[in-house]
């Protein structure tokens, strides 16, 4: 099982990613092991999707990182 997820910090910045173990990955983010989220002080998971196939999960992650995906996230979060 693969999870595509979106994190948000206190400054309304977003991080989109994919993992096969969400709890482990969140721990890595919070411990500063991920360069991109190292400076994000308070992060929370604001959106997730589950996939059985790694390729499909990766496609969805890439979509969420696109302009259309950013609009989708904004719409889903009511902004």
């Amino acid at each position: 099982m693969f999870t595509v997820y979106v994190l948000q910090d206190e400054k309304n910045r977003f991080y989109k990613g994919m993992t096969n173990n969400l709890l482990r990955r969140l721990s890595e983010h919070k411990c500063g092991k991920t360069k991109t989220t190292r400076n994000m002080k308070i992060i929370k998971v604001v959106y997730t999707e589950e996939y059985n196939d790694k390729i499909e999960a990766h496609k969805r992650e890439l979509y969420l990182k696109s302009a259309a995906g950013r609009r989708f996230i904004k719409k889903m979060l009511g902004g």
Side-chain angles (χ1 to χ4, degrees):
M1 199 68 144
F2 295 90
T3 305
V4 176
Y5 61 95
V6 179
L7 303 178
Q8 183 179 20
D9 74 354
E10 72 281 0
K11 296 178 182 177
N12 276 344
R13 293 179 295 184
F14 294 98
Y15 175 88
K16 299 100 179 170
M18 178 190 79
T19 185
N20 62 350
N21 184 334
L22 187 58
L23 293 177
R24 173 191 49 79
R25 190 66 178 127
L26 289 176
S27 176
E28 291 172 357
H29 284 299
K30 290 180 181 183
C31 291
K33 293 184 179 182
T34 305
K35 184 178 179 181
T36 309
T37 58
R38 189 170 293 145
N39 295 322
M40 297 172 85
K41 300 203 186 306
I42 300 170
I43 58 172
K44 61 182 177 178
V45 178
V46 294
Y47 187 75
T48 62
E49 295 179 355
E50 299 286 331
Y51 292 88
N52 291 320
D53 182 47
K54 184 176 182 178
I55 294 170
E56 290 302 313
H58 184 66
K59 285 180 185 177
R60 186 62 172 173
E61 176 192 11
L62 292 177
Y63 168 76
L64 292 177
K65 291 179 177 182
S66 71
R70 289 190 299 273
R71 286 191 299 271
F72 171 80
I73 291 167
K74 190 174 184 178
K75 183 179 177 182
M76 290 299 296
L77 299 178

